[in-house]
């Protein structure tokens, strides 16, 4: 399929004004015409959340040749849903890009991430979907390396777009925050096991009411394992983890058959 015939959908969780979103748009335009719908405000940590009890507002922010950008007052998943179920009609979307996120979505971050929530939602519609993240939270981060590897991964997916295995595939791609020439390549990985150790800082407002700020850090349960996304990023590789929707713990099925027998 020629580039001019492809429709690429782009969203994120940092909001439509984020620098990483502009980087994603730049890359997407190289592969087809682009429809972008991103949150009106930052929606990090929203995972698969949807808006059920508030009205949602869709506003066109700009329209250029082969590019239309909207802001939406909902979550990243809301952005995907309004696009597929309202905006595009009978048009076929060839690829979903979510990002480029400001901050890593490796390991258990994939469960909390609005960026990955949107990418996973895109795969529900049978569309190849890629969540892209850079391991820097800096609002003015350098996205050159992330763009370069996004191009490579997207080109590879689209090269095989007619293959059945490509249908609904979802990739969690994380790029280390180093210069492009310092990146050692790409690694196909599994998700690292670990947990966020949360800290709640307790304060009081001027009226004496208690409030909390959430902070914390990631504890890697397997720092020496060389097949995980965390290891890849720490060692200068772009990590690529294929994500599946099915959360069934098949390894414990036989155990539970015995435990739960009547």
């Amino acid at each position: 399929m020629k580039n001019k015939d492809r429709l690429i959908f782009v969203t994120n969780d940092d909001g439509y004004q984020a620098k990483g979103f502009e980087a994603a748009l730049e890359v997407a335009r190289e592969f087809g015409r682009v429809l972008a719908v991103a949150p009106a405000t930052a929606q990090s940590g929203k995972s698969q959340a949807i808006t059920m009890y508030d009205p949602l507002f869709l506003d066109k922010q700009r329209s250029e040749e082969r590019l239309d950008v909207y802001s939406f007052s909902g979550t990243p998943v809301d952005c995907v849903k309004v696009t597929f179920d309202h905006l595009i009609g009978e048009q076929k979307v060839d690829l979903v890009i979510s990002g480029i996120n400001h901050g890593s979505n490796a390991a258990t971050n994939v469960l909390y991430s609005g960026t990955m929530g949107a990418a996973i939602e895109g795969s529900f519609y049978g569309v190849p979907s890629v969540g892209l993240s850079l391991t820097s939270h800096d609002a003015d981060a350098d996205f050159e390396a992330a763009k370069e590897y996004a191009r490579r991964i997207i080109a590879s997916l689209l090269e095989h777009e007619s293959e059945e295995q490509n249908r609904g595939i979802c990739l969690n791609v994380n790029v280390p925050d180093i210069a492009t020439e310092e990146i050692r390549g790409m690694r196909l990985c599994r998700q690292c096991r670990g947990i966020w150790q949360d800290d709640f800082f307790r304060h009081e407002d001027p009226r004496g009411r208690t409030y909390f700020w959430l902070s914390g850090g990631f504890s890697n349960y397997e720092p020496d394992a060389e097949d995980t996304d965390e290891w890849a990023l720490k060692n200068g590789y772009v990590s690529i983890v294929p994500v599946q929707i099915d959360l069934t713990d098949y390894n414990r099925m036989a155990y539970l058959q015995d435990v739960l027998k009547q």
Side-chain angles (χ1 to χ4, degrees):
M1 181 185 294
K2 296 179 180 178
N3 283 9
K4 67 179 182 178
D5 298 321
R6 292 194 182 101
L7 177 58
I8 312 295
F9 171 65
V10 182
T11 189
N12 76 344
D13 73 356
D14 291 312
Y16 76 97
Q17 295 179 310
K19 184 177 179 180
F21 183 62
E22 285 299 321
L25 293 178
E26 179 184 331
V27 172
R29 296 181 80 173
E30 299 174 17
F31 294 94
R33 57 192 178 92
V34 176
L35 173 61
V37 181
T41 58
Q43 297 285 317
S44 295
K46 293 294 186 178
S47 187
Q48 299 290 143
I50 57 175
T51 303
M52 299 177 63
Y53 302 110
D54 295 298
L56 295 168
F57 299 92
L58 183 68
D59 296 302
K60 177 171 278 191
Q61 296 297 330
R62 69 187 213 249
S63 184
E64 303 170 12
E65 184 178 0
R66 299 168 59 77
L67 172 68
D68 289 297
V69 179
Y70 293 82
S71 64
F72 197 45
S73 61
T75 68
V77 168
D78 288 331
C79 292
V80 179
K81 287 182 174 295
V82 77
T83 299
F84 280 84
D85 299 332
H86 171 69
L87 276 180
I88 64 171
E90 298 300 316
Q91 298 179 82
K92 175 181 177 290
V93 175
D94 297 282
L95 182 73
V96 170
I97 299 172
S98 185
I100 300 171
N101 189 65
H102 292 248
S104 171
N105 278 320
T108 53
N109 286 317
V110 68
L111 298 174
Y112 305 108
S113 165
T115 295
M116 286 309 301
I120 292 167
E121 189 72 21
S123 74
F124 289 172
Y125 292 88
V127 179
S129 302
V130 183
L132 297 165
S133 303
L134 177 70
T135 62
S136 170
H137 290 278
D138 187 349
D140 195 35
D142 183 354
F143 284 91
E144 289 307 310
K147 289 190 292 185
E148 174 60 28
Y149 280 90
R151 291 184 184 100
R152 298 186 192 186
I153 292 165
I154 292 167
S156 296
L157 283 178
L158 292 176
E159 184 180 346
H160 297 275
E161 60 188 333
S162 62
E163 298 177 13
E164 182 59 29
Q165 282 274 43
N166 212 39
R167 177 177 169 79
I169 194 171
C170 184
L171 301 181
N172 181 14
V173 178
N174 286 273
V175 181
D177 184 29
I178 55 179
T180 306
E181 60 272 15
E182 295 177 7
I183 293 179
R184 299 170 66 184
M186 298 184 290
R187 292 279 293 244
L188 192 61
C189 310
R190 65 176 175 85
Q191 177 184 321
C192 183
R193 290 192 295 273
I195 191 172
W196 276 91
Q197 301 287 347
D198 296 323
D199 293 317
F200 286 88
F201 293 95
R202 182 182 182 278
H203 301 276
E204 287 188 358
D205 71 9
R207 296 184 178 181
R209 294 178 300 181
T210 299
Y211 68 93
F212 297 88
W213 279 109
L214 174 63
S215 184
F218 179 72
S219 294
N220 187 339
Y221 286 172
E222 43 184 356
D224 298 324
E226 297 184 4
D227 61 343
T228 72
D229 47 10
E230 288 287 341
W231 185 93
L233 292 167
K234 184 178 178 180
N235 287 273
Y237 292 94
V238 173
S239 68
I240 305 174
V241 177
V243 177
Q244 65 179 12
I245 299 165
D246 186 352
L247 298 179
T248 306
D249 188 348
Y250 292 100
N251 292 328
R252 287 192 170 92
M253 292 288 276
Y255 163 74
L256 287 171
Q257 287 283 6
D258 183 60
V259 168
L260 301 175
K261 65 184 178 182
Q262 298 182 11

